[in-house]
Amino acid sequence: MSTVLILLGSFLVLLLINVPVAFCMSLACVLAFLWKGAIPLLTLPLKLSSGIDAFPFLAIPLFILAGSLMEHGGISQRLVRFAKDLVGHIRGGLGIVVVVSEVFFSGISGSSIADASAIGALLLPSMVRAGYTPPRASSIIAAATGMGILIPPCLNMVVLGAMANISIAGLFMGGFLPGFLMALTLMIIIYYQSSKGILPGPDQARARMREVMIAFKESIIPLMMPVIIFGGIFGGVFTATEAASVATVYAFIVSVFVYKEVKGKDIYRIVVETAVMTGVVCLLVGAATCFSWILATHQVPRMLGDFIGSASGGKVVFLLLSIAVFFIFGALLDGLPAILIFFPILYPIAQSLGLHPYHYGVLVIAIIGISVVVPPIGLCLVIICSLAKIKLSDTIRPLMPYIAILVIDLFVIAFWPWLVLFLPAIFKL
Amino acid sequence: MTKFLKNIVEHFCFLLVMILSAVVFFQVLNRFILKGPWAWSEELAMLLFQWVVFLGAAVGVKRMSHFGIDLVVEKLSGNTRRCLELVVPIAIGAIALTLIIEGFKLLKLTQNQVYTTMPFSHAWATAAMPVSGFLMILYLIQREVKIWKKKEEEQSA
């Protein structure tokens, strides 16, 4: 037991003094190995490399590369144009445009951070011009980013699926309906606020059918990307890694040869940045593999499971506890580390309680999505606020109603598994 | 030329990611169009992936891209802060050293494990870890020297 205390204690201390999370975990493992001296230090590099030694992990660099190429390739402007023509005339105008753009955009990019910076950079200025206060505009974009994590492809789903051996295709498919639920509830609340005069009214007159068609034609190339990815995966043609590979080649051709907005120098920068991001993410995965392996050899997940199982109302208590744990640590540690540390501990318990892997997995992703846009630390919120040049604390009040509605959605997802399981069941995933 | 050498690890990262993407894409093409089994492509992809990860992680140290929580340290000032800020490179250095020493031991152990479809041993993948550890230490020293020089300049100015 003392080993576990050393592990957790040193991890926490290192974390608080700003040592990067992957190194905190690795160093905590090293100290735990040295403490009793029973396990050779060799285990650390062994786990670091074996933790990522599975074909599904290859989807990580490929999705990062594809998303980044598309992001710099001039597609976001086209998608936003299309969203404006589709829904810009509705009450709540630009706010609703943000939500719809985010649905489109996160269907192409796999990371919330990319979404937040792309949508934020594009829509913040026009929102402010239309009369939104910067904190309100930032809040809407933050809330939409939190929702967007559920619209696949999603890097966190890839990592979670590859790590826990859950079908990534199943997680992707399971994320759609909860994502749409969140998008819908966000749009309703924006509509309501707009009709109460809290938010400005419609953005533009209803676009003529011809204009909508032109905008649609402009965005058909980027919108083909999710079609390729999901058509392939859900049709059973591709694995997630293969789909990511095809998506990368598609994104490369579109951004370099069709739109010609990505030049040679940009390609180099984007590719190197992909390698760095991959290294950062996968080192974290490897370190977490070692970390949770030590916890598992000391029976920590089993003891926690017994403890929770003995509490009355096992399943409900467990789901509430999961929401609390991932919400708090997602906000404190950022999404991925929270998943990597707590999912291996909590997932076996979820299984023993009879929760469906897709249901639990998608729920965790949804919680993480919201937690990274919650003040005071949420990473995505930080990015949006720096784009809007406002203080993080300014967003606390305007963000509240959106976070509240998203949390309500969260409970719907937690206690109504059908929402997640319906689509995977239809596609027999 | 010196600039090329300075960024040589980045150049390697670029090449590795490009080759990795190409290998996986040709594996897909091969599976659907040529229908010929290209068994080695999967193992080659995994080998390249290990290098991408560990070289990428090393460049991540150079660029300080690994995320941590700066909430507490931000609030501090003076000597406590300076001391705590020194812990970060030391912690990273300790892991880098572990990667070099223990990674090298692991490399020796994997020397005899030959890939099923390729005529060389797993040590070629394991080697990424000691190399990464070495680079991390190099980058850390570079960084500290830069910070130290900057302080000198500030003092003289």
Side-chain angles (χ1 to χ4, degrees):
Chain A
M1 211 56 225
S2 57
T3 315
V4 174
L5 286 180
I6 292 276
L7 183 78
L8 296 177
S10 55
F11 171 67
L12 274 179
V13 171
L14 290 166
L15 194 65
L16 285 178
I17 44 186
N18 195 18
V19 176
V21 186
F23 293 91
C24 288
M25 284 202 257
S26 307
L27 198 53
C29 292
V30 168
L31 293 175
F33 289 147
L34 289 175
W35 174 245
K36 283 260 169 79
I39 303 163
L41 270 184
L42 187 78
T43 317
L44 179 73
L46 185 67
K47 292 282 167 193
L48 283 182
S49 71
S50 68
I52 50 166
D53 196 22
F55 201 64
F57 282 114
L58 278 179
I60 295 175
L62 297 172
F63 272 132
I64 294 178
L65 184 54
S68 179
L69 282 169
M70 283 304 230
E71 189 192 334
H72 293 101
I75 59 143
S76 22
Q77 298 92 305
R78 291 172 171 88
L79 288 178
V80 168
R81 178 78 251 151
F82 181 44
K84 270 187 178 170
D85 281 352
L86 270 185
V87 294
H89 59 280
I90 301 173
R91 190 171 283 168
L94 272 175
I96 292 182
V97 169
V98 169
V99 178
V100 174
S101 308
E102 173 61 24
V103 170
F104 289 151
F105 196 72
S106 64
I108 288 164
S109 106
S111 101
S112 304
I113 291 174
D115 293 5
S117 42
I119 302 279
L122 266 173
L123 280 168
L124 264 173
S126 43
M127 287 175 94
V128 174
R129 235 177 290 128
Y132 287 76
T133 62
R136 258 191 217 292
S138 314
S139 302
I140 293 175
I141 293 171
T145 317
M147 167 277 293
I149 198 172
L150 283 171
I151 312 280
C154 161
L155 267 184
N156 288 324
M157 285 184 187
V158 173
V159 174
L160 188 145
M163 181 180 65
N165 213 358
I166 303 173
S167 150
I168 295 170
L171 288 172
F172 277 4
M173 203 75 203
F176 270 117
L177 286 185
F180 289 151
L181 171 76
M182 285 186 168
L184 193 68
T185 48
L186 278 179
M187 288 196 270
I188 290 172
I189 200 168
I190 291 168
Y191 184 89
Y192 173 80
Q193 284 184 323
S194 176
S195 65
K196 285 277 170 201
I198 304 171
L199 295 178
D203 172 48
Q204 54 182 41
R206 181 188 283 276
R208 270 188 237 102
M209 202 52 206
R210 220 173 62 86
E211 286 166 356
V212 178
M213 285 318 288
I214 291 171
F216 175 67
K217 245 193 248 160
E218 279 274 292
S219 36
I220 198 157
I221 293 180
L223 284 177
M224 274 309 284
M225 188 145 133
V227 174
I228 297 173
I229 298 177
F230 301 121
I233 297 180
F234 300 144
V237 184
F238 295 148
T239 62
T241 307
E242 290 174 332
S245 155
V246 175
T248 308
V249 173
Y250 183 77
F252 189 81
I253 293 171
V254 168
S255 53
V256 178
F257 298 113
V258 181
Y259 290 158
K260 299 195 176 88
E261 289 191 25
V262 173
K263 303 276 189 300
K265 235 186 181 159
D266 303 323
I267 300 177
Y268 178 83
R269 196 173 45 78
I270 289 171
V271 170
V272 173
E273 190 51 38
T274 301
V276 175
M277 274 308 293
T278 307
V280 168
V281 168
C282 292
L283 192 69
L284 202 55
V285 174
T289 310
C290 191
F291 195 82
S292 55
W293 178 79
I294 298 178
L295 288 179
T297 51
H298 288 82
Q299 313 288 337
V300 174
R302 203 183 48 88
M303 282 188 290
L304 269 179
D306 289 348
F307 177 69
I308 294 166
S310 66
S312 55
K315 218 183 219 176
V316 176
V317 174
F318 175 72
L319 283 172
L320 292 176
L321 182 90
S322 302
I323 292 180
V325 165
F326 285 106
F327 198 86
I328 294 169
F329 287 95
L332 287 177
L333 298 177
D334 193 37
L336 200 59
I339 293 176
L340 289 168
I341 297 170
F342 291 101
F343 199 75
I345 300 176
L346 293 174
Y347 181 54
I349 306 172
Q351 278 180 310
S352 68
L353 287 170
L355 291 167
H356 195 286
Y358 298 162
H359 176 219
Y360 192 63
V362 169
L363 175 68
V364 168
I365 298 290
I367 307 167
I368 289 297
I370 303 174
S371 73
V372 295
V373 295
V374 168
I377 322 180
L379 196 58
C380 286
L381 189 63
V382 173
I383 292 169
I384 297 164
C385 285
S386 68
L387 283 172
K389 299 194 180 63
I390 54 172
K391 280 204 301 267
L392 210 60
S393 49
D394 293 342
T395 59
I396 293 177
R397 268 174 61 90
L399 193 57
M400 273 309 146
Y402 309 120
I403 297 294
I405 197 89
L406 289 178
V407 171
I408 293 171
D409 293 335
L410 211 54
F411 284 104
V412 174
I413 300 166
F415 295 106
W416 204 34
W418 176 87
L419 196 64
V420 175
L421 299 177
F422 179 68
L423 284 182
I426 285 188
F427 284 84
K428 299 196 172 58
L429 287 167
Chain B
M1 191 62 202
T2 42
K3 205 180 163 197
F4 179 82
L5 281 177
K6 213 170 149 191
N7 293 321
I8 191 142
V9 184
E10 279 90 335
H11 299 329
F12 263 112
C13 284
F14 175 77
L15 272 182
L16 284 167
V17 173
M18 290 306 260
I19 300 172
L20 176 65
S21 313
V23 168
V24 179
F25 185 65
F26 281 111
Q27 190 188 349
V28 180
L29 275 190
N30 185 57
R31 197 155 78 81
F32 289 103
I33 299 167
L34 307 169
K35 309 252 179 208
W38 238 32
W40 51 268
S41 61
E42 191 166 326
E43 281 195 327
L44 179 63
M46 291 314 299
L47 168 72
L48 292 167
F49 181 55
Q50 292 274 342
W51 277 94
V52 170
V53 168
F54 287 103
L55 287 189
V59 180
V61 168
K62 182 182 186 180
R63 302 184 177 183
M64 283 290 150
S65 307
H66 295 273
F67 28 77
I69 307 180
D70 50 10
L71 222 65
V72 180
V73 180
E74 292 265 282
K75 294 244 158 66
L76 300 171
S77 57
N79 279 334
T80 348
R81 180 170 179 163
R82 243 164 283 151
C83 282
L84 288 183
E85 274 174 344
L86 263 181
V87 178
V88 177
I90 292 173
I92 297 177
I95 293 306
L97 212 60
T98 316
L99 281 178
I100 296 174
I101 299 170
E102 302 297 324
F104 195 71
K105 282 188 201 160
L106 191 66
L107 187 147
K108 279 191 169 161
L109 285 179
T110 49
Q111 247 167 5
N112 300 322
Q113 294 175 23
V114 179
Y115 280 105
T116 354
T117 58
M118 295 186 292
F120 40 87
S121 83
H122 281 273
W124 284 96
T126 321
M129 279 185 284
V131 170
S132 171
F134 174 73
L135 290 170
M136 282 179 189
I137 288 182
L138 213 66
Y139 289 143
L140 282 175
I141 294 173
Q142 210 177 38
R143 224 181 103 78
E144 290 308 308
V145 168
K146 217 183 256 168
I147 293 173
W148 188 67
K149 262 189 189 160
K150 210 174 147 195
K151 258 185 206 155
E152 290 263 286
E153 270 168 34
E154 270 169 18
Q155 269 171 6
S156 62

